[in-house]
Amino acid sequence: METKALDVSSCLAKSLTLQDGKKVPGIDVLGHCVIVGEVAREIVRRSLPAIQLFPPGSELVAAAHDVGKVSPAFQEKIYRAIDGYRHNSLPGLETANPDQEKNWGGHPGVSQAALEGCPRYIREIAGRHHGYSPGESGPGESVFFGGAPWQKRREELLEKLHTHFDVPWPVVKDTTQAAVLSGLTCVADWIGSGSAFDGLRHIEDATDLPDRVQAALSAAGFVRPIMKPGLSFTGIFGPDFVCRPAQSHFIKAVTAPGVYVLEAPMGMGKTEAALYAAYKSIAAGHASGIYFALPTRLTSDKIYQRMNSFLDTVLDEASPLRRSLLLHSSAWLYETELGEEGEPGASWFHARKRGILAPFAVGTIDQALMAVMNVKHGFVRAFGLAGKVVILDEVHSYDSYTGTLLDELVRGLRDMSCTVIILSATLTDERRRSLLGIPAAAVPISAYPFISALPQGEALHELPVDVTDRMDVSIRRVADDGEAVEEALKRAEQGQQVLWIENTVKEAQKRYELLASRATECGIATGLLHSRFVQHDRECNEDTWVALFGKEGKARRGEQGRILVGTQVLEQSLDIDADFLITRLAPTDMLLQRIGRLWRHRDHDPIRPSEAYCEAWILSADYEKVLKNYKKALGKTVYAPYILLRTLEVWETKTALQLPNDIRTLVEKTYLERHEEGLLGTLQQDIAKEREKLRRFALLGVSQAGKTLPESKAETRYSDQETRDVLLLKSARKNQDGSIALRLSNGEALELPRDLKSRDRKAWRKLAAALSRHLITVPKNQAPLPAPAGILDWFKEYLYVGSKEQDEGSLRIALIKESGALAGIDYTEVCQDFLLSYDKTIGYRAEKTVDTEKEEDAW
């Protein structure tokens, strides 16, 4: 135990590295705490007054986050980072050992201990400002934290903060509000540690503090958008988009924060209905922004373009940061400066994470789901979503694990004054009720389309909608893949636009290669879309093929026949139109989504060959054959065999569909609970056990008790495999001046200068964003071996390379050889169990070199 302690004025929050490399004292703890509190106060001021997310005094708990830095171990660590300091030479630090900090979660653990006795939730909010809960570590007067002399200094600091802000501790009503306040504290700390406050040593130096706070928040993108008033539906989406009855009824139903479900057929315009309802909510002051959550990155990128067009129309010319709000997500990274954790090389310099903090964003459901999980920075995501319109698309496509999390997310969003809009073509009634948080019905509803509205504080409103448009589809089940290949080629030779959907990336790659080898000599164009392309190549492929199969490709349809091969990404949220569909057997809801890509643009009258008729082929043996040997017949499927057999049973005799009339019946028949015997009984028990296991995983994930999970281990779409980010390059070398010369995966040259951060921060962020476009996410067992630590050091100024302290997976790096094969950064072995390769047409490929029980991740 220390017998004395440093004065509060001598306690440093940070050290500072000058341009010449010299390390000097940075701002003191009091100054930093005041800055962070003032940033939090301004964030609260900029939030919507109608959405009461932050109780009075919120800025005080944000300011108190770093009270734990007033401790001997931390102060000794900071002083040792300063040039010329002799270890343990200051009074009160004679026996201090910085290595001990890991025993109590670092200074956040001390903050949590020091605030014991404060109102409920205050100490926990302060303790997790680094993204995770440090755990219990004893009272503030513990000998580990310096004993009574140091706790007295911490109390002096808290008294100074009370005097400065002149507010009491906030009264936090529940864990949801505590999560939002934790996110506020965390983000305010990031911004308060940014370049806007460089050069300050003490709070007395900050005579221009209000101006610095305003500038820092605007630079970080925390602006309230201004919407053009009174825009009509056609005024936003154009004269071709006449508001249909289902759209009109849904828009009228969205009156306040709450939960709203729109069940309607594929191609009905659910996206436009959701966006117009969001526009009305924001214009009325009921919401502060939009987060559009989708299942996969492919759909996210295409919806982003539609969102951009929407924003370009609805945002007033005087809206702050209007240009930045319209830029692609990677540009948002370098146009805005979030502060310490959002800088290049830090974990939140990533488009898929940062978007959740932007006023408007499109992203994957995974980021939203982590807002209700005990995962690092989960509460930052809760803060980012609070008060917004959150649109959840393709909800039917989630398994039991993600479904349980989704129910928890919807409940949490409702408590955070969000307007939650759920879009689906194929929900069961049981699933709809679960999302709304209402009891199951004795008899499921049969009406379709259907609207459910549950505004805050009101009763549930349910509204069936009349069908105004029907489509007949011919269905054929085919057991022979060879027959399907010949049919696809024949139809494409006639000039038809053919879609072929497989259930895994591996099978899609194989099918594409076979079709492409035959198609070239017939004058047929072929393409491949899945998620395992680097962003640059993925965008090129998407732009080409989604344009050709989309409305804008109407004039080019007659040029030649085409075959587009892909995975589940083709069934979700893509506005594409095919003349003919071939699909591998999948659950009923997925099959219907895929069939929804057929003849989708009937209203726009695309030119179709005379031989074309609306037909889908389903690749599967007949039900009895599959039942006799389901493992061989279904192969290594990513779907539960029981659900596939139930699907096949329902579709076995189907030769025609009428949409949307048949949708509800097919879905309910597939998922209807019933007693099974024999093989089906065994498989039913298997799926029940798996669902229960996944449900328990999900509930464990949302539990706030226990150890906070690193993001890499907190899978929201359940898989038994972790994933890793892989940087793909053509070449890399270190120059004599310390800069790194790269040739990127597309052949472009890029140089990463040393210490660019201190010279040109925007150029530094822009280079980091450009480099991140050549990352790809793959299963851990199919990733290259870890690069040597020295190689990772080349990139840590620009990319997040991982954190051993938080048990997070490290960045992987591979070089693409001329043959397409991947090699280690120094041309060493890249992977022990797989032959890895990359091609801009095929994507990332992992071919087994040894037998393994792991299945490929479908996405």
Side-chain angles (χ1 to χ4, degrees), residues 841-857:
T841 305
I842 298 291
Y844 188 96
R845 174 176 279 178
E847 297 178 279
K848 292 177 185 175
T849 56
V850 296
D851 191 29
T852 175
E853 294 297 320
K854 295 288 186 182
E855 291 185 5
E856 180 190 43
D857 175 7

Side-chain angles (χ1 to χ4, degrees), residues 591-822:
L591 287 179
L592 289 167
Q593 281 297 119
R594 297 174 188 189
I595 290 169
R597 310 305 120 182
L598 276 173
W599 293 53
R600 188 179 175 92
H601 300 151
R602 300 182 302 283
D603 294 346
H604 295 267
D605 193 28
I607 300 169
R608 304 185 196 275
S610 58
E611 301 92 339
Y613 57 97
C614 190
E615 184 176 28
W617 283 21
I618 300 172
L619 296 175
S620 172
D622 65 56
Y623 179 74
E624 291 301 327
K625 285 185 178 179
V626 174
L627 200 58
K628 286 178 182 177
N629 193 349
Y630 77 93
K631 289 185 178 180
K632 182 178 180 181
L634 298 178
K636 283 191 173 182
T637 176
V638 297
Y639 300 115
Y642 177 71
I643 297 299
L644 290 179
L645 282 165
R646 287 288 301 270
T647 296
L648 191 53
E649 180 185 352
V650 169
W651 290 74
E652 174 80 346
T653 58
K654 275 284 178 186
T655 58
L657 292 180
Q658 187 178 75
L659 301 177
N661 299 41
D662 293 340
I663 290 176
R664 179 81 74 193
T665 302
L666 288 168
V667 173
E668 294 291 353
K669 276 186 176 180
T670 301
Y671 292 101
L672 178 68
E673 287 291 331
R674 70 186 190 192
H675 175 72
E676 304 279 15
E677 294 182 350
L679 174 62
L680 285 176
T682 301
L683 294 177
Q684 185 185 46
Q685 290 177 10
D686 289 344
I687 196 172
K689 290 176 184 176
E690 186 68 11
R691 280 177 171 166
E692 178 59 21
K693 184 181 79 170
L694 298 182
R695 190 185 72 83
R696 290 179 183 275
F697 276 140
L699 293 176
L700 179 64
V702 301
S703 170
Q704 294 302 305
K707 184 179 180 182
T708 303
L709 292 171
E711 294 172 32
S712 61
K713 293 184 183 297
E715 296 291 340
T716 53
R717 185 179 298 108
Y718 178 73
S719 168
D720 61 355
Q721 301 175 30
E722 294 179 41
T723 59
R724 291 290 181 266
D725 283 342
V726 181
L727 177 63
L728 294 179
L729 305 168
K730 290 287 184 70
S731 66
R733 74 170 191 276
K734 191 170 187 178
N735 298 323
Q736 288 186 347
D737 63 359
S739 64
I740 309 299
L742 305 176
R743 206 155 54 88
L744 302 173
S745 62
N746 61 348
E748 291 180 6
L750 186 73
E751 184 168 308
L752 305 179
R754 282 186 62 192
D755 301 323
L756 182 60
K757 172 183 177 179
S758 61
R759 303 193 303 275
D760 189 336
R761 295 181 67 86
K762 186 172 181 179
W764 171 55
R765 295 195 302 270
K766 195 167 185 176
L767 278 179
L771 187 60
S772 70
R773 288 170 57 81
H774 299 267
L775 290 169
I776 189 169
T777 302
V778 302
K780 179 183 175 182
N781 71 316
Q782 297 177 18
L785 295 168
I791 298 296
L792 286 179
D793 288 344
W794 292 8
F795 298 95
K796 66 182 183 181
E797 279 189 57
Y798 292 89
L799 295 176
Y800 183 60
V801 299
S803 167
K804 288 183 179 179
E805 289 77 10
Q806 287 303 303
D807 193 26
E808 293 176 342
S810 61
L811 174 72
R812 306 297 173 87
I813 305 169
L815 299 182
I816 306 170
K817 300 196 289 190
E818 289 298 321
S819 64
L822 298 187

Side-chain angles (χ1 to χ4, degrees), residues 314-549:
V314 302
L315 280 176
D316 193 272
E317 295 296 330
S319 188
L321 289 182
R322 187 179 191 279
R323 178 176 172 273
S324 294
L325 294 176
L326 292 173
L327 291 174
H328 190 276
S329 53
S330 63
W332 176 261
L333 285 177
Y334 58 79
E335 287 289 333
T336 59
E337 183 172 352
L338 187 57
E340 193 171 45
E341 194 67 21
E343 292 182 340
S347 66
W348 272 68
F349 189 81
H350 204 303
R352 70 172 179 252
K353 294 183 183 181
R354 281 278 293 279
I356 213 163
L357 294 174
F360 301 102
V362 174
T364 59
I365 188 67
D366 304 66
Q367 291 300 314
L369 290 171
M370 281 194 273
V372 293
M373 294 185 72
N374 187 10
V375 57
K376 187 179 180 185
H377 290 135
F379 41 79
V380 173
R381 295 170 172 89
F383 164 76
L385 293 174
K388 288 180 178 173
V389 176
V390 180
I391 301 171
L392 306 173
D393 201 6
E394 311 290 1
V395 167
H396 53 268
S397 63
Y398 300 109
D399 58 20
S400 302
Y401 176 71
T402 313
T404 302
L405 285 175
L406 197 61
D407 293 346
E408 186 72 15
L409 174 64
V410 171
R411 184 201 64 75
L413 293 174
R414 186 174 61 230
D415 292 345
M416 292 188 287
S417 299
C418 290
T419 302
V420 187
I421 295 177
I422 298 169
L423 305 178
S424 178
T426 54
L427 277 182
T428 62
D429 187 54
E430 181 184 18
R431 191 76 196 92
R432 177 186 71 92
R433 289 175 170 274
S434 180
L435 288 164
L436 289 165
I438 59 176
V443 180
I445 59 166
S446 58
Y448 188 89
F450 199 75
I451 294 167
S452 309
L454 189 59
Q456 267 185 355
E458 296 185 27
L460 175 69
H461 307 286
E462 296 180 317
L463 177 67
V465 181
D466 292 336
V467 176
T468 58
D469 186 23
R470 292 178 174 83
M471 183 177 80
D472 294 316
V473 183
S474 295
I475 301 294
R476 181 178 173 190
R477 183 188 49 75
V478 179
D480 183 6
D481 282 17
E483 182 183 354
V485 168
E486 297 304 324
E487 186 69 16
L489 291 168
K490 184 185 85 172
R491 301 262 188 147
E493 279 190 281
Q494 295 169 353
Q496 294 189 43
Q497 313 299 296
V498 178
L499 207 57
W500 187 308
I501 303 180
E502 293 284 354
N503 293 334
T504 68
V505 173
K506 182 178 179 179
E507 290 303 316
Q509 289 170 329
K510 286 182 178 179
R511 189 62 56 218
Y512 167 78
E513 287 185 314
L514 174 61
L515 288 165
S517 67
R518 297 275 306 278
T520 304
E521 60 193 41
C522 305
I524 299 168
T526 53
L528 176 64
L529 285 182
H530 55 73
S531 62
R532 290 195 194 156
F533 289 98
V534 297
Q535 186 176 350
H536 175 273
D537 294 335
R538 189 173 71 244
E539 287 176 357
C540 289
N541 290 340
E542 290 170 23
D543 290 344
T544 298
W545 286 97
V546 175
L548 287 171
F549 277 68

Side-chain angles (χ1 to χ4, degrees), residues 580-597:
F580 176 55
L581 169 71
I582 298 173
T583 171
R584 190 69 56 187
L585 179 67
T588 290
D589 37 356
M590 315 304 186
L591 287 179
L592 289 167
Q593 281 297 119
R594 297 174 188 189
I595 290 169
R597 310 305 120 182

